Amino acid sequence: MLNYIRIILLISSVVCLLTGCNGLSDEEKREYFEKAVPIGQKYFQEHYDAEIIFTDYDINLPNSSTMFLYGYVKNNQTINISLSLDIPSMEIRSAKGPEDFIKKRSQ
């Protein structure tokens, strides 16, 4: 019984250490956001001919390597969009928004 408790404590300690060490500081998150904004703006300019203002972001580390940017179309603040990117490559995974806006995507 004592060995069983030791093993459980050891495993839970290792899991806590591993997940806690993979997080990013607020400064690192902000740097990723600042790096991602021009990439996202260029993407929406090229594929949707729209200027985007990004206002918020979310980083899902250590659960996944995805960053989400949230914003709106500069000329129409009612059109909210989001963009997901891979960290650290900053490769765009997907773009989301209202159906009529997303359908305007040019190849």
Side-chain angles (χ1 to χ4, degrees):
M1 180 70 170
L2 189 57
N3 284 338
Y4 181 71
I5 294 172
R6 284 183 188 169
I7 290 172
I8 290 175
L9 288 174
L10 178 64
I11 290 172
S12 61
S13 297
V14 169
V15 169
C16 287
L17 275 174
L18 291 176
T19 57
C21 293
N22 287 335
L24 295 174
S25 70
D26 289 341
E27 184 177 320
E28 290 170 317
K29 289 178 182 180
R30 186 74 184 163
E31 286 175 10
Y32 274 117
F33 174 68
E34 290 173 2
K35 188 189 295 187
V37 165
I39 294 168
Q41 288 173 332
K42 181 180 176 185
Y43 175 83
F44 278 101
Q45 185 66 44
E46 288 177 359
H47 296 289
Y48 296 93
D49 193 28
E51 286 186 57
I52 303 297
I53 305 296
F54 289 108
T55 57
D56 200 11
Y57 65 97
D58 187 25
I59 298 178
N60 286 335
L61 290 175
N63 298 333
S64 73
S65 60
T66 305
M67 173 182 206
F68 295 93
L69 297 179
Y70 304 100
Y72 59 87
V73 176
K74 184 177 182 180
N75 296 332
N76 188 348
Q77 293 185 12
T78 63
I79 300 176
N80 294 310
I81 58 90
S82 66
L83 187 68
S84 64
L85 300 98
D86 182 58
I87 294 176
S89 70
M90 299 311 252
E91 187 175 308
I92 295 172
R93 291 186 175 178
S94 67
K96 296 193 174 153
E99 185 178 356
D100 57 331
F101 177 76
I102 294 298
K103 284 184 177 179
K104 293 190 310 183
R105 187 182 195 282
S106 60
Q107 301 300 328

